[in-house]
Amino acid sequence: MNFVVLTIFPEMFDSFWAHGIIRKAIDQKKVSATAINIRDFTADRHQMTDDRPFGGGNGMVMKPEPLVEAIGAAKKNAGAAKTVLLTPQGRTLNQKMARELASIEELILVCGRYEGVDERICHEYIDYEISIGDYVLTGGELAAMVIMEAVTRMIPGALGGQDSAEKDSFSDGLLEHAHYTRPRNFEGREVPEVLLSGHHREIESWRMESSVMRTLLKRPDLLRNKQLNDQEVKILEKWLSEIEALLNLHHREH
Ligand code: 4HQ
């Protein structure tokens, strides 16, 4: 994967690329990443990247010409590159999109500032419009970092040996199970006994149950949109019958 970011703040990416799994992926040459300063593609003496909106109103709009020049420069080396505009009007990023983007050779991430980019950029020069969520950012830079992080984790081998990407939240449509480490007793709360037992099959089924029930309690929307497998149905039925038994007791007493 080759990431090329178009931005007026290229320095924002230096520390991002120098840490964690993205740093490792770059060191291992699984990923390359560069930031191109849109200002370098301005033609005027003042290197203006923004201008006043036609029709009036507050705020400024990103001029189309420097952006088009910068996209052209980014595509010089990889003509098949796909361009992504970070915008609240795009499709909201999810794990499936991250996985799909990871199979693309080169992504050019276009970061707007001000009120946004001139609308006419979108038709000819942008392949995907992506949002990272329904809230307002000041620029596309943080959104581009979020996309690069989520996509890099999906590149085979980028996560350091294990199959952690498959075990992660959302990979099977469920939240992850609860995690515990030492000490065994923390502020009076014990680690679940089964996790200390060394019974790998029991630990595996405890984790599956933890996953399903946490998803039901914290993100029921995820379960509603998921095709449940036999094991997940069994877990839900077990809890349903326990709840029914409790309610039966209650109703008999009242
Ligand atoms: N932006 N997800 C850049 C966002 C945003 C989001 C607002 C994009 C400002 C200039 N981008 N413009 N949410 O809020 O991607």
Side-chain angles (χ1 to χ4, degrees):
M1 166 64 67
N2 185 23
F3 294 119
V4 179
V5 181
L6 310 186
T7 171
I8 58 167
F9 296 127
E11 295 86 1
M12 283 182 72
F13 295 87
D14 295 346
S15 131
F16 174 66
W17 287 331
H19 295 91
I21 70 137
I22 193 128
R23 156 89 179 260
K24 225 182 95 210
I26 291 169
D27 287 348
Q28 295 174 345
K29 308 218 180 296
K30 292 192 165 73
V31 164
S32 65
T34 45
I36 292 183
N37 193 339
I38 297 163
R39 213 173 284 288
D40 294 345
F41 297 86
T42 51
D44 64 307
R45 203 161 60 81
H46 297 288
Q47 299 196 291
M48 298 297 281
T49 55
D50 60 336
D51 203 345
R52 286 153 45 228
F54 277 123
N58 287 323
M60 298 292 269
V61 177
M62 214 126 175
K63 291 167 65 63
E65 303 95 325
L67 272 173
V68 166
E69 293 301 314
I71 290 171
K75 282 197 169 175
K76 269 251 164 63
N77 312 309
K82 295 293 183 190
T83 54
V84 175
L85 176 69
L86 292 316
T87 164
Q89 291 159 40
R91 271 176 64 203
T92 309
L93 182 70
N94 60 29
Q95 195 57 36
K96 181 162 169 272
M97 286 161 71
R99 207 176 300 122
E100 286 166 5
L101 291 171
S103 68
I104 296 173
E105 260 323 300
E106 175 167 320
L107 286 176
I108 299 169
L109 300 160
V110 181
C111 304
R113 280 269 154 179
Y114 323 113
E115 302 308 303
V117 304
D118 187 299
E119 183 68 20
R120 294 163 294 180
I121 284 289
C122 305
H123 307 288
E124 280 292 326
Y125 299 97
I126 298 297
D127 296 307
Y128 309 111
E129 293 184 31
I130 300 180
S131 166
I132 62 163
D134 292 340
Y135 39 81
V136 182
L137 304 172
T138 307
E141 285 78 8
L142 285 170
M145 290 184 207
V146 168
I147 290 182
M148 289 189 279
E149 167 114 359
V151 168
T152 299
R153 300 179 75 270
M154 290 298 105
I155 295 170
L159 266 191
Q162 348 87 311
D163 51 348
S164 4
E166 272 117 72
K167 284 194 179 171
D168 275 334
S169 292
F170 308 121
S171 58
D172 55 2
L174 297 175
L175 298 179
E176 267 196 277
H177 58 76
H179 298 278
Y180 298 90
T181 185
R182 290 182 291 182
R184 284 173 62 155
N185 183 305
F186 176 69
E187 297 186 345
R189 294 174 194 276
E190 292 282 349
V191 171
E193 197 64 39
V194 59
L195 299 180
L196 313 170
S197 70
H199 293 120
H200 297 292
R201 296 264 299 271
E202 282 180 41
I203 291 170
E204 224 17 74
S205 67
W206 181 90
R207 285 182 169 162
M208 181 48 72
E209 185 166 333
S210 170
S211 244
V212 172
M213 295 313 293
R214 279 153 73 89
T215 310
L216 176 67
L217 294 173
K218 297 184 180 195
R219 291 292 307 278
D221 58 304
L222 292 179
L223 278 186
R224 265 178 241 121
N225 295 319
K226 183 185 186 317
Q227 185 76 264
L228 299 174
N229 64 33
D230 290 353
Q231 196 183 11
E232 290 156 354
V233 169
K234 278 228 170 64
I235 291 164
L236 290 168
E237 283 171 347
K238 186 190 110 183
W239 280 79
L240 176 61
S241 67
E242 288 191 23
I243 291 165
E244 280 171 344
L246 264 175
L247 288 176
N248 284 339
L249 271 178
H250 173 85
H251 288 137
R252 240 171 276 140
E253 283 172 27
H254 292 85

